[in-house]
Amino acid sequence: MPRRILDSLARARHVALALAGSVCLLNGIGAPRPLHAQSTAPAGRIVGRVIDVASGLGLSDVGIQVVGTTLGAMSGVDGRYTIASIPAGTVTLQFRRIGYTPKTVTGIMLGADRTLAQDVTLSTAAITLAAQTVTASAERGSVADALDAQRTATGIVNAITAEQIAKSPDSDAAQAVQRVSGVTVQDGRYVFVRGLGERYTVTQLNGARMPSPEPERRVVPLDLFPTGMLQSVTTAKTFTPDQQGDFSGAQVDIRTREFPARRTFTWQSSAGYNGGVTGQSILGSVNAGGEPFAMGRSNRALPALVRSAGNFQHIELTQGDKNRLVGTFRDAWTPGQRNALPNGSMAMSVGGNDPILAQRIGYLLSGTYSYSEELRTGQRRALAQRGSTPGTTNEIDRFEGSTANQGTLWGGLLNLSTLLGGATRVSLNNTYNRTSDNDARVERGSFENEGIAARIDRMQYVERSVRSSQLAVEHQLGERHRIDWQVTTSGVRRDEPDRSEFVSEIVNPGAANEQQLWLSTGNGGAVRTFSTLTEDANEGRANYLLTFSGFGRPQMLKVGGLWRGTDRDADSRSYSISAPRISLADRALPASQLFDGRFTTPTSSVFEIAPLSQGGAYSASDRLTAGYLMADLALSDRLRLITGARYERDDLTVNAQSTLGQPVVTQKLWNDLLPSAALNVKLGEYQSVRVSVSRTLARPEYRELSPIKSRDVLNGDDLEGNPNLVRTRIDNADIRWEWYPDAAEIVSVSLFAKAFSDPIERVYKSAGAQRFLAYVNAERATNYGVEFELRKGLGMFAQALRALTAFTNLTVMSSTITLGDSARQASTNPSRAMVGQAPYVLNAGLTYASANGATSATLLFNRVGDRIDAAGDQPLPDVKELARNVLDLSLRFPLAGALSARFDARNLLDAPYQTVQGTVVREYWRTGRTIQLGFQFRP
């Protein structure tokens, strides 16, 4: 039969069905009214999405009918549909749309007064008109796995879903995302992808850029986001024009949970035990109030009198003024002892999809709180110096001790969504998270150059918060046109108030007559530091998608624009207190007595106070405008070309002022055109190859452009910004083969290569006898590697193993950076691996799931190879963080009715954290094993 006749028959058949389905009137969120009165028998509701199998996009105007009834609906924006008042029992649905193969889904078990979610995929029609019939379970499996973001994305994508997170012991997004191929997490919160530093990773929340709360980093710490609030974490590793152009490693998009199809209530709590911490007497900070709720900054604020004195340069301080200034600080210098509490968490959420004033609204309200205790035992640190023979290192300034940490994380979200007329979807997403780290550290050692033994007491409290509110609207204008836009306001705050450092000289260490005397001279014996950072961002974006016919197939053209305004203010002030004239007997007093007021009376003349030069303030005003054009072209049944370009204009002004210096203004204006092209080749029903090339960039972080000096810890390196930095351009190439042998299985191999022009690196510089860290543009760098991913059910080996699934991902990579003459300075290796580059990352796991899914067990393994933590300065080698093995276990099992339990065991191997420089151990500690038992109630 000629093709045009078949096409005519298909159109006539679909038009007839569409005419019947269009009689259904959408009510509220799109729930149709029945064509005829139905019986009063028990009924339920089915909701879901209809998705294009090739592109992963939702399909509108699909006719849906409940077989054997007159009930039906038409899919609306993003392919969403709702059918209400369906008689309870076994249900069969038919899906039809012009140009697509009809599909019948059987075996849908619908309970009375229940809401069932049923997503469906449709394939473009071939010559035949034969319909496809599948079971409901098979269809749900293909949508949940084979049609996830990884398979349908235009580029190379990896995703962690809520289902996977629920089966792991991970408590925040940073722990969850480290399961992704090629991803490493530094310091428990900063994400490195393919061995690239955090500057090459962009973090988004629900598709909008998140500002960073870190004063010297561009990255967003992912431990800010509890896993209980996450729907998915998607990591895009290749660039397309509709993405923001300043990433090369990855774009991490955190999606908060959507509302459920039916009204639900969930409550869960857990309690945890750390073998070396819980119930033990450990170090404790001198709290000011509010720390258990991450609300301690107001009670630790910089005293108003000290703030009013500024940098002390324009006022003449009398001894009485100095005494009053010293007396305003809290008398909190050294940690005490306390009994460690068990770890614990609690979360609660309520959600649903209910009619409100005749409009059906989807909603989700969720809150979570967690508290944790950690003790770093066996802790030691040291510096390295050149040995007696070339190429060797000797240890100096070794200190041993321990650090106790109290961590708090809480947050909440309120997400709302509704459909207007079936063609417009409106959603409002609101998120607020808050976290704090309360550290107490005591260590003993020696300063080799000064020839003294010493004790250092340090208390540090860091509080961070992130907020985001987003209005997103999607319009489906017929079959061909789609518009979506969103407006987002977000902000972060980081406070490090009242950090204290107190140093004592130890006389006759270890002897019966040992004595500890305050190091009362110089600038390091007693230091208080107050730091704060706020950053606010407003972002608006819009996208238009046109679907048209070409080459006998549907094609897509996408155009859009973005504007983002970011404002940051950062301020860090450090003050040194000394007492050059204090008596030896008074130096022996404990810190709590030295600063209790006895030496700050009007007649006292003991203390001196001065601001330190390692501090200052800076502000940044950043305005980004962007536009793009992208085409998604189906060249044949097997070839899909995605190409286009993005233009970005960034106007940045940074105002910086050191504690004792003059203001410096840095202005940058960057204009960039970023092209990309990707070719997706379909080798079969479940196999494909993706090839992509693109150009991206990396701009300097605001702090890096600020020519002020800062210092993190006593005897640490000074850090200075560089206003002459230029942006980095990166050329990227990727190729990936992937195969989905079954619904929940994948095999893939990827090759990637990146070439950097003017990469930004931290290097050592010298100024006279002093050295400091600085930011410079290196000459060039390369990064390349291979990724392998496997997820396979073990039922193929034996029937008894059907409940087991094994999975692993391995990334092997290498990088080389050439500093060039301008950046070489005192660097040991002018050509070396990039800082943070690990030669390999390995994740592996084994999961057991019962037939009904109620019981599961997951064993997870992670190993990251040795990587450069800091580049060495001549004649010392680079500082490297050594590989460590991490093994976690998680169990989920039902108890009674709606009550279930979870058992998590983290860090079972308790491998040490260790960095080395040559033969010197720069840092070393262990954190202990953590056991946690939790319960969940979900009626």
Side-chain angles (χ1 to χ4, degrees), residues 85 94 123 179 351 399 414 421 771 811 813 868 925 931:
S85 303
Q94 288 183 344
S123 303
R179 314 295 181 185
F399 281 81
L414 173 62
R771 69 173 188 175
T811 302
M813 50 205 163
I868 296 178
W925 73 82
I931 306 297

mmCIF file of all heavy atoms in Angstrom, residues 85 94 123 179 351 399 414 421 771 811 813 868 925 931:
data_model
loop_
_atom_site.group_PDB
_atom_site.id
_atom_site.type_symbol
_atom_site.label_atom_id
_atom_site.label_comp_id
_atom_site.label_asym_id
_atom_site.label_seq_id
_atom_site.Cartn_x
_atom_site.Cartn_y
_atom_site.Cartn_z
ATOM 1 N N SER A 85 -12.187 9.038 38.576
ATOM 2 C CA SER A 85 -13.418 8.232 38.674
ATOM 3 C C SER A 85 -13.340 6.953 37.857
ATOM 4 O O SER A 85 -14.322 6.530 37.228
ATOM 5 C CB SER A 85 -14.632 9.062 38.237
ATOM 6 O OG SER A 85 -14.744 10.246 39.000
ATOM 7 N N GLN A 94 -5.314 2.939 26.596
ATOM 8 C CA GLN A 94 -4.839 3.085 25.225
ATOM 9 C C GLN A 94 -4.348 4.511 25.006
ATOM 10 O O GLN A 94 -4.990 5.468 25.450
ATOM 11 C CB GLN A 94 -5.959 2.764 24.219
ATOM 12 C CG GLN A 94 -6.307 1.290 24.130
ATOM 13 C CD GLN A 94 -7.365 1.028 23.082
ATOM 14 O OE1 GLN A 94 -8.039 1.949 22.639
ATOM 15 N NE2 GLN A 94 -7.500 -0.227 22.679
ATOM 16 N N SER A 123 6.648 5.793 20.598
ATOM 17 C CA SER A 123 7.659 5.868 19.554
ATOM 18 C C SER A 123 7.029 6.414 18.273
ATOM 19 O O SER A 123 5.835 6.217 18.022
ATOM 20 C CB SER A 123 8.263 4.488 19.274
ATOM 21 O OG SER A 123 8.804 3.932 20.448
ATOM 22 N N ARG A 179 28.682 8.858 44.174
ATOM 23 C CA ARG A 179 28.451 7.550 43.554
ATOM 24 C C ARG A 179 28.468 7.651 42.032
ATOM 25 O O ARG A 179 28.444 6.630 41.345
ATOM 26 C CB ARG A 179 27.103 6.968 44.000
ATOM 27 C CG ARG A 179 26.822 7.065 45.490
ATOM 28 C CD ARG A 179 27.759 6.254 46.332
ATOM 29 N NE ARG A 179 27.439 6.372 47.758
ATOM 30 C CZ ARG A 179 28.175 5.836 48.732
ATOM 31 N NH1 ARG A 179 29.256 5.164 48.441
ATOM 32 N NH2 ARG A 179 27.825 5.988 49.998
ATOM 33 N N GLY A 351 2.335 15.770 51.516
ATOM 34 C CA GLY A 351 2.150 16.185 50.132
ATOM 35 C C GLY A 351 0.912 15.568 49.545
ATOM 36 O O GLY A 351 0.318 14.638 50.099
ATOM 37 N N PHE A 399 52.807 18.563 65.104
ATOM 38 C CA PHE A 399 51.825 18.705 66.182
ATOM 39 C C PHE A 399 50.889 17.496 66.167
ATOM 40 O O PHE A 399 50.508 17.005 65.093
ATOM 41 C CB PHE A 399 51.017 19.993 66.020
ATOM 42 C CG PHE A 399 51.740 21.229 66.469
ATOM 43 C CD1 PHE A 399 52.660 21.852 65.637
ATOM 44 C CD2 PHE A 399 51.521 21.757 67.733
ATOM 45 C CE1 PHE A 399 53.335 22.983 66.042
ATOM 46 C CE2 PHE A 399 52.204 22.890 68.155
ATOM 47 C CZ PHE A 399 53.114 23.506 67.304
ATOM 48 N N LEU A 414 8.861 24.055 50.375
ATOM 49 C CA LEU A 414 7.446 24.132 50.054
ATOM 50 C C LEU A 414 7.337 24.272 48.549
ATOM 51 O O LEU A 414 7.716 25.301 47.981
ATOM 52 C CB LEU A 414 6.785 25.325 50.755
ATOM 53 C CG LEU A 414 5.323 25.589 50.351
ATOM 54 C CD1 LEU A 414 4.439 24.390 50.709
ATOM 55 C CD2 LEU A 414 4.798 26.858 51.009
ATOM 56 N N GLY A 421 -5.906 25.123 32.562
ATOM 57 C CA GLY A 421 -6.462 24.847 31.250
ATOM 58 C C GLY A 421 -5.829 23.691 30.527
ATOM 59 O O GLY A 421 -6.092 23.485 29.347
ATOM 60 N N ARG A 771 56.999 33.711 51.915
ATOM 61 C CA ARG A 771 56.340 33.067 50.788
ATOM 62 C C ARG A 771 54.843 33.149 51.010
ATOM 63 O O ARG A 771 54.361 33.218 52.145
ATOM 64 C CB ARG A 771 56.777 31.614 50.653
ATOM 65 C CG ARG A 771 56.264 30.709 51.776
ATOM 66 C CD ARG A 771 56.564 29.262 51.514
ATOM 67 N NE ARG A 771 55.895 28.407 52.489
ATOM 68 C CZ ARG A 771 55.904 27.071 52.454
ATOM 69 N NH1 ARG A 771 56.584 26.457 51.509
ATOM 70 N NH2 ARG A 771 55.265 26.367 53.359
ATOM 71 N N THR A 811 36.654 5.464 36.474
ATOM 72 C CA THR A 811 37.200 6.526 35.634
ATOM 73 C C THR A 811 38.702 6.556 35.803
ATOM 74 O O THR A 811 39.210 6.646 36.933
ATOM 75 C CB THR A 811 36.611 7.894 36.026
ATOM 76 O OG1 THR A 811 35.191 7.853 35.915
ATOM 77 C CG2 THR A 811 37.144 8.979 35.098
ATOM 78 N N MET A 813 42.021 8.672 34.446
ATOM 79 C CA MET A 813 42.251 9.961 33.802
ATOM 80 C C MET A 813 43.657 10.447 34.081
ATOM 81 O O MET A 813 44.348 9.961 34.982
ATOM 82 C CB MET A 813 41.221 10.975 34.275
ATOM 83 C CG MET A 813 41.070 11.047 35.780
ATOM 84 S SD MET A 813 39.458 11.651 36.293
ATOM 85 C CE MET A 813 39.414 11.130 38.001
ATOM 86 N N ILE A 868 47.017 15.537 43.857
ATOM 87 C CA ILE A 868 47.735 16.693 44.364
ATOM 88 C C ILE A 868 46.772 17.574 45.153
ATOM 89 O O ILE A 868 45.747 18.015 44.629
ATOM 90 C CB ILE A 868 48.377 17.489 43.216
ATOM 91 C CG1 ILE A 868 49.444 16.640 42.512
ATOM 92 C CG2 ILE A 868 49.009 18.777 43.736
ATOM 93 C CD1 ILE A 868 50.090 17.334 41.329
ATOM 94 N N TRP A 925 44.518 11.620 60.120
ATOM 95 C CA TRP A 925 43.510 11.398 61.163
ATOM 96 C C TRP A 925 42.547 10.290 60.744
ATOM 97 O O TRP A 925 42.482 9.911 59.576
ATOM 98 C CB TRP A 925 42.733 12.682 61.468
ATOM 99 C CG TRP A 925 41.743 13.103 60.410
ATOM 100 C CD1 TRP A 925 40.471 12.651 60.217
ATOM 101 C CD2 TRP A 925 41.964 14.074 59.372
ATOM 102 N NE1 TRP A 925 39.882 13.274 59.150
ATOM 103 C CE2 TRP A 925 40.764 14.160 58.620
ATOM 104 C CE3 TRP A 925 43.038 14.902 59.007
ATOM 105 C CZ2 TRP A 925 40.641 15.014 57.523
ATOM 106 C CZ3 TRP A 925 42.901 15.748 57.928
ATOM 107 C CH2 TRP A 925 41.714 15.797 57.205
ATOM 108 N N ILE A 931 27.385 3.755 63.108
ATOM 109 C CA ILE A 931 26.244 2.851 62.972
ATOM 110 C C ILE A 931 24.979 3.652 63.256
ATOM 111 O O ILE A 931 24.915 4.419 64.229
ATOM 112 C CB ILE A 931 26.333 1.667 63.962
ATOM 113 C CG1 ILE A 931 27.679 0.942 63.798
ATOM 114 C CG2 ILE A 931 25.165 0.721 63.758
ATOM 115 C CD1 ILE A 931 27.882 0.324 62.449
#
